[in-house]
Amino acid sequence: MSKEEVVLLGCWVSPFCMRVKIALNEKGIEYEDREEDLFGGKSELLLNSNPIHKKVPVLLHYGKPLSESTIIVGYIDETWASPPLLPSCAYGRAKARFWADFIDKKLHDAGAQIWRTNGEEREVGTRDFIEILKQLEEALGERNYFGGEGDAFGFVDIIAIGMASWFPAYEKFGGFKVEDHCPKLSGWIKRCKQRESVRKVLPDPEKVYEFLVMFRKMQGLD
Amino acid sequence: MSKEEVVLLGCWVSPFCMRVKIALNEKGIEYEDREEDLFGGKSELLLNSNPIHKKVPVLLHYGKPLSESTIIVGYIDETWASPPLLPSCAYGRAKARFWADFIDKKLHDAGAQIWRTNGEEREVGTRDFIEILKQLEEALGERNYFGGEGDAFGFVDIIAIGMASWFPAYEKFGGFKVEDHCPKLSGWIKRCKQRESVRKVLPDPEKVYEFLVMFRKMQGLD
């Protein structure tokens, strides 16, 4: 497969784009990574490819556009069979989709309640965020990965680990350590980061923090 | 299949529960319909089966619980093959999931901005709601159904049509007619309602309206 056949319109700091990159890496698919300038103006290709949400990531496969990261990761899994990211049984797939949906609905917004706020609002946001992490940790249990199939790295891990690249920034803003509240989840993050598919995608935590500090200044929060 | 093998914990007025019922009807699966008393207290079975969200619908298949309606409909499609609800190609499935996701993210909340508000807030909500309907109508285009496969009734139709059972109430609260703004979508609603799988699930619009009027009173909005 030539790189022109799979093109990603993305942004380095977006956890949603990281998901798509990690899924493609897991499958061993080469792709062209086109960085969008989200502040300087989105490309015509992005706007035409995702006219409803006008957001990254967009994956172009032979020029056909796909959007919404969780849906794109599902498409990647269905299009390139090996290694499988979702379980082989329908019930396992439904459970994996449940946790992906939980992460989509809860985790990013809860994190925003830490880094986009101040004072008491941030304290409440930090407590809520830790509660959500504890629910995730309980779902992980004693396993190495959320899976995927059995104990293997898979769909839910990919949906969650991009989000985890922002955790060090949340920790700084919120004054807490994920490890102190959720040691098993913390171990899971470390295991994921040892995978090449993940390591070459996740940005330097310091750069994510600087990005969020800059964003806060732009929004007049500091 | 005996009825005990498929049990739905649901509520007659919930568009999310209607989805599950319609999907089971399309597949010709008999099920036990257990109505939850959402105001009087949720059942222990519901709370134990969906400890994260504590919401209907929950589908129990041989006692194994599934929650989140869009995920349940996907499970039903994967578990009982005929007739297929999602397209057979990965790209078609991703597009169907995109529109299901759009409906999940936009339509119910936009409707709430009509019936849970008053005055200017309601006027803004009504305008926003109609814009979302127009996006859906554009996605429908000249087809009979959103599909599914080709022009057949399928996944996106099931996700959307339960929501449409609340449209007559929104029309009353917001003082508008869906037909005046979206004639093709209005035609699609009529076509869907002619299907037995849908007709025997969708409640009397007047009862939905009365339910929402009662809910508004409980919330001190009237």
Side-chain angles (χ1 to χ4, degrees):
Chain A
M1 169 157 311
S2 80
K3 275 196 176 188
E4 291 72 38
E5 288 162 9
V6 183
V7 177
L8 176 65
L9 312 182
C11 169
W12 68 274
V13 79
S14 157
F16 305 103
C17 296
M18 294 174 208
R19 295 170 171 180
V20 178
K21 293 176 185 176
I22 294 167
L24 289 168
N25 289 344
E26 283 288 325
K27 299 283 186 176
I29 305 299
E30 285 199 73
Y31 62 96
E32 187 191 329
D33 185 7
R34 287 196 206 163
E35 185 75 10
E36 287 280 330
D37 181 0
L38 301 184
F39 295 113
K42 296 172 183 178
S43 73
E44 280 300 307
L45 183 58
L46 173 61
L47 297 174
N48 291 333
S49 301
N50 190 2
I52 297 292
H53 300 303
K54 303 180 176 67
K55 282 183 187 168
V56 292
V58 164
L59 189 74
L60 296 151
H61 187 202
Y62 291 107
K64 285 161 82 177
L66 297 125
S67 50
E68 297 298 275
S69 63
T70 303
I71 294 169
I72 298 173
V73 173
Y75 173 84
I76 289 169
D77 195 36
E78 292 182 356
T79 302
W80 293 285
S82 178
L85 301 176
L86 276 160
S88 56
C89 73
Y91 190 74
R93 281 196 294 278
K95 279 211 303 185
R97 288 186 177 124
F98 174 88
W99 285 108
D101 180 71
F102 173 84
I103 292 161
D104 276 344
K105 282 179 179 153
K106 303 274 186 180
L107 206 56
H108 199 61
D109 286 353
Q113 289 299 315
I114 302 174
W115 72 268
R116 294 184 91 151
T117 58
N118 286 313
E120 196 182 334
E121 209 180 343
R122 177 179 280 175
E123 280 175 36
V124 173
T126 302
R127 279 199 297 274
D128 290 348
F129 182 79
I130 291 168
E131 284 312 304
I132 291 168
L133 288 192
K134 285 182 179 172
Q135 288 182 302
L136 264 184
E137 176 159 280
E138 199 179 325
L140 178 65
E142 300 302 325
R143 294 175 301 161
N144 283 319
Y145 296 108
F146 288 94
E149 196 72 279
D151 201 22
F153 181 87
F155 191 74
V156 181
D157 302 288
I158 290 174
I159 298 304
I161 191 62
M163 299 279 188
S165 72
W166 287 34
F167 289 1
Y170 300 160
E171 289 176 330
K172 276 197 193 186
F173 287 118
F176 71 101
K177 283 278 170 196
V178 171
E179 195 167 10
D180 294 342
H181 301 275
C182 300
K184 288 176 196 164
L185 199 67
S186 190
W188 165 82
I189 295 171
K190 288 185 189 120
R191 273 191 296 284
C192 289
K193 283 185 176 171
Q194 284 166 5
R195 297 180 77 82
E196 202 198 337
S197 67
V198 174
R199 198 175 54 233
K200 66 187 189 186
V201 169
L202 260 51
D204 178 352
E206 198 53 38
K207 283 192 178 163
V208 173
Y209 178 71
E210 284 166 12
F211 174 86
L212 296 180
V213 166
M214 181 194 74
F215 199 88
R216 282 178 56 86
K217 281 189 183 144
M218 284 170 63
Q219 301 275 315
L221 291 163
D222 283 318
Chain B
M1 168 156 313
S2 79
K3 276 196 176 187
E4 291 71 40
E5 288 161 10
V6 184
V7 176
L8 175 65
L9 312 182
C11 169
W12 67 274
V13 78
S14 156
F16 305 104
C17 297
M18 295 176 209
R19 295 170 171 179
V20 178
K21 292 175 184 177
I22 294 167
L24 289 169
N25 288 344
E26 284 287 325
K27 299 284 187 177
I29 305 300
E30 286 198 72
Y31 61 97
E32 186 191 328
D33 185 7
R34 286 196 207 163
E35 185 76 9
E36 287 281 329
D37 180 1
L38 300 184
F39 295 113
K42 297 172 182 176
S43 73
E44 280 300 306
L45 184 57
L46 173 61
L47 297 174
N48 290 335
S49 301
N50 190 3
I52 297 292
H53 300 304
K54 303 178 178 67
K55 282 183 187 169
V56 292
V58 163
L59 188 75
L60 296 151
H61 188 201
Y62 292 106
K64 285 161 81 178
L66 296 125
S67 50
E68 296 300 275
S69 62
T70 304
I71 293 169
I72 298 173
V73 173
Y75 173 84
I76 289 169
D77 195 36
E78 292 182 357
T79 300
W80 295 284
S82 179
L85 301 176
L86 275 159
S88 57
C89 74
Y91 190 74
R93 281 196 294 278
K95 279 212 300 185
R97 288 185 177 126
F98 174 86
W99 285 109
D101 179 71
F102 174 84
I103 292 161
D104 277 344
K105 283 180 179 154
K106 303 274 186 180
L107 207 56
H108 199 62
D109 286 352
Q113 288 301 313
I114 301 174
W115 73 268
R116 296 185 89 150
T117 59
N118 286 312
E120 196 181 336
E121 209 180 343
R122 176 179 281 176
E123 281 176 34
V124 172
T126 302
R127 280 199 297 275
D128 290 348
F129 182 78
I130 292 168
E131 285 311 305
I132 290 169
L133 289 191
K134 285 181 178 171
Q135 288 182 302
L136 264 185
E137 175 158 281
E138 200 179 324
L140 178 65
E142 301 302 324
R143 292 175 301 159
N144 282 320
Y145 295 108
F146 288 94
E149 195 73 278
D151 201 21
F153 181 86
F155 190 75
V156 181
D157 302 288
I158 290 174
I159 299 304
I161 192 61
M163 298 279 189
S165 73
W166 288 34
F167 289 2
Y170 300 160
E171 289 176 330
K172 278 197 192 184
F173 287 118
F176 71 102
K177 283 279 170 195
V178 170
E179 195 166 10
D180 295 343
H181 301 275
C182 299
K184 287 176 196 163
L185 200 66
S186 191
W188 165 82
I189 293 172
K190 287 184 189 121
R191 272 190 297 284
C192 289
K193 282 185 177 172
Q194 285 166 5
R195 298 180 76 83
E196 202 198 338
S197 67
V198 175
R199 197 174 54 234
K200 66 185 189 187
V201 169
L202 260 52
D204 178 352
E206 197 54 37
K207 284 193 178 163
V208 174
Y209 178 71
E210 284 167 12
F211 173 86
L212 296 181
V213 166
M214 181 195 75
F215 199 88
R216 281 178 57 85
K217 280 187 186 146
M218 284 169 61
Q219 302 275 315
L221 291 162
D222 282 317

